[in-house]
């Protein structure tokens, strides 16, 4: 007799769809098969049973342009569970002059006891020097094996020059780290912003003009070149345009370990949103793009050249977004997304068939688990893995409304969108967190994860 058995559902792990039963003992999956019995049983007739989604890109309580992103670890992780996300990875912040350790310790203290799902953080650095190098080894001992850098935001003190980036890539290779990069051409973007400002072109419609597609294609090709030369692991975050994919794919076919993440906003939204009266609510960096770029990303998920889908969850309240004063430079950049990650990703891929849905499931589960050193414990449905499971109703049609979501913000970029398929029950390490759309979990029940080195995602390439 097991603690909990889920029966009647179609188990979809991104590789196959089978009507298995799943037995849970304590925090782990104990068995997968038929004729299993449990002290408690959940009947999932007509539903899919998925591995819990892993969101490797969130920004809880992030200060930006005078505002702070509205979700903290408590509210954001609870909303995550409503959306079928059972693991999140957020970022440390680094004060000028610091290495990695103080920021990691601060951020872990913030997350501890507050986060309802399992969690980790990425290291992050604005520069590369001996202190950052030494702290990589310390961070790895803490189970942190990824580090974020920027090729943009020079004026905010965030941008790494190419030499620092190259030497960081070498050090990360030696330390067993994945280097994650916000890849935009920082210097060109600053020049374009200044030129638009001089011409008085500060409406939000000019935001994408200040960061055109080539300002993402160029740095992606550049960081791929540097990572390939350094034989380092590279992961480009929030890729917004299909045009940037060929450089990654070509390098990977030569054996380089270079991968990309995209986000639902780049799969569902296009730059026509900036013409709306609330267009500033859609401002994020890189910007949402013309429709053709979206199609390239969708195709990339299906053929495996986009490895993961994550959110860049950075929700501001409507009041914070409205404080921009007609100047796109003053908008707190970012969007809410953690609760809608799973349903939006699968709904975008569903019209392309079951193979596309499977690719989407892999991009939300096994691929982030492997890249961020969480496999085989996370991202899979297998005996011995953590019992992170989602019961997903593929027939439920939901009209998205911010008022019915649980993120700490009062608007959604997807307001009024109708999607078919929604997570109804979420189990995190054997504990039911959300049952039939109702919260039944413990606040702060998430555990800090100890991550290993990156592993290649599952891809046709
Ligand atoms: O504009 C965005 N995406 N804000 C969040 C921080 C980042 O750059 O990912
Ligand atoms: Zn970014
Ligand atoms: Zn981000």
């Amino acid at each position: 007799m097991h603690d909990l058995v889920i029966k009647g559902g179609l188990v979809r792990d991104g590789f196959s769809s089978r009507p298995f039963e799943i037995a849970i003992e304590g925090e782990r999956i104990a068995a997968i098969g038929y004729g299993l019995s449990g002290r408690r049983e959940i009947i999932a007739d007509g539903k899919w049973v998925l591995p819990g989604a892993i969101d490797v890109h969130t920004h809880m309580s992030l200060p930006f342009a005078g505002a702070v992103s509205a979700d903290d670890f408590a509210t954001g992780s609870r909303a995550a569970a409503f959306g079928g996300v059972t693991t999140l990875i957020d970022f440390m912040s680094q004060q000028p002059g610091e290495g990695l350790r103080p920021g990691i310790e601060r951020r872990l203290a913030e997350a501890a006891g507050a986060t309802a799902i399992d969690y980790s953080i990425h290291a992050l650095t604005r520069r590369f020097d001996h202190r950052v190098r030494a702290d990589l080894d310390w961070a790895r001992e803490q189970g942190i094996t990824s580090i974020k850098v920027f090729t943009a935001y020079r004026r905010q003190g965030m941008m790494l020059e190419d030499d620092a980036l190259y030497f960081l890539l070498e050090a990360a290779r030696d330390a067993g780290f994945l280097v994650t990069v916000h890849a935009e051409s920082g210097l060109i973007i600053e020049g374009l912003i200044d030129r638009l400002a001089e011409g008085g072109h500060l409406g939000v419609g000019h935001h994408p003009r200040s960061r055109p597609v080539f300002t993402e294609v160029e740095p992606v090709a550049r960081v791929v070149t540097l990572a390939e030369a350094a034989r380092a692991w590279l992961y480009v975050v929030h890729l917004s345009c299909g045009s940037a994919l060929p450089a990654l794919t070509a390098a990977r076919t030569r054996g380089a370990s270079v991968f990309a993440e995209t986000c639902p906003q780049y799969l569902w939204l296009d730059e026509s949103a900036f013409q709306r009266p609330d267009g500033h609510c859609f401002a994020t960096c890189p910007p949402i793009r013309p429709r053709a770029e979206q199609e390239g990303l969708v195709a990339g998920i299906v053929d495996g050249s986009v490895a993961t889908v994550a959110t860049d969850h950075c929700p501001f309240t409507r009041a914070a977004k409205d404080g921009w004063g007609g100047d796109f430079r003053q908008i707190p950049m970012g969007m809410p997304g953690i609760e809608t990650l799973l349903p939006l990703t699968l709904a975008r891929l569903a019209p392309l068939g079951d193979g596309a849905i499977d690719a989407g499931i892999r991009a939300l589960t096994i691929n982030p688990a492997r890249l961020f050193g969480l496999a085989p414990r996370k991202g899979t449905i297998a005996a011995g893995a953590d019992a992170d499971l989602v019961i997903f109703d593929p027939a439920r049609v939901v009209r998205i409304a911010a008022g019915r979501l649980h993120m700490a913000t009062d608007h959604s970029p997807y307001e009024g969108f109708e999607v078919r398929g929604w997570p109804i029950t979420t189990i995190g390490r054997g504990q039911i967190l959300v049952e039939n759309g109702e919260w039944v979990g413990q606040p702060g029940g998430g555990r800090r994860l100890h991550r290993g080195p990156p592993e290649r995602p599952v891809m046709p390439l």
Side-chain angles (χ1 to χ4, degrees), residues 57 59 91 148 238 312:
H57 190 158
H59 299 284
F91 299 85
K148 167 97 175 280
H238 53 39
D312 195 12

Side-chain angles (χ1 to χ4, degrees), residues 421-439:
W422 201 262
I424 54 171
T425 293
T426 301
I427 299 169
R429 255 187 308 99
Q431 296 298 311
I432 304 175
L433 303 176
V434 175
E435 187 167 19
N436 293 319
E438 298 294 329
W439 176 257

Side-chain angles (χ1 to χ4, degrees), residues 100 128-138 171-172 174-175:
L100 306 176
F128 181 63
D129 60 19
H130 68 280
R131 192 175 323 167
V132 171
R133 172 68 192 84
D135 279 357
L136 283 175
D137 292 327
W138 175 84
D174 294 343

Side-chain angles (χ1 to χ4, degrees), residues 56-57 91 148-149 180-183 216 235-240 259-263 286 372:
V56 298
H57 190 158
F91 299 85
K148 167 97 175 280
V149 294
T180 79
V181 182
H182 172 130
E216 190 171 17
Y235 177 91
V236 178
V237 300
H238 53 39
L239 196 79
S240 69
F259 305 97
E261 158 199 292
T262 192
C263 312
F372 290 90

Side-chain angles (χ1 to χ4, degrees), residues 41 95 97-98 119 168 172 191 209 223 230 281 313 320 339-340 376 391 402 451 460:
E41 298 192 347
Q95 297 307 316
E98 288 180 349
Y119 64 93
L168 172 74
R209 292 180 59 204
V223 296
C281 293
H313 177 70
E339 192 171 354
T340 47
I391 300 176
R451 298 191 279 123

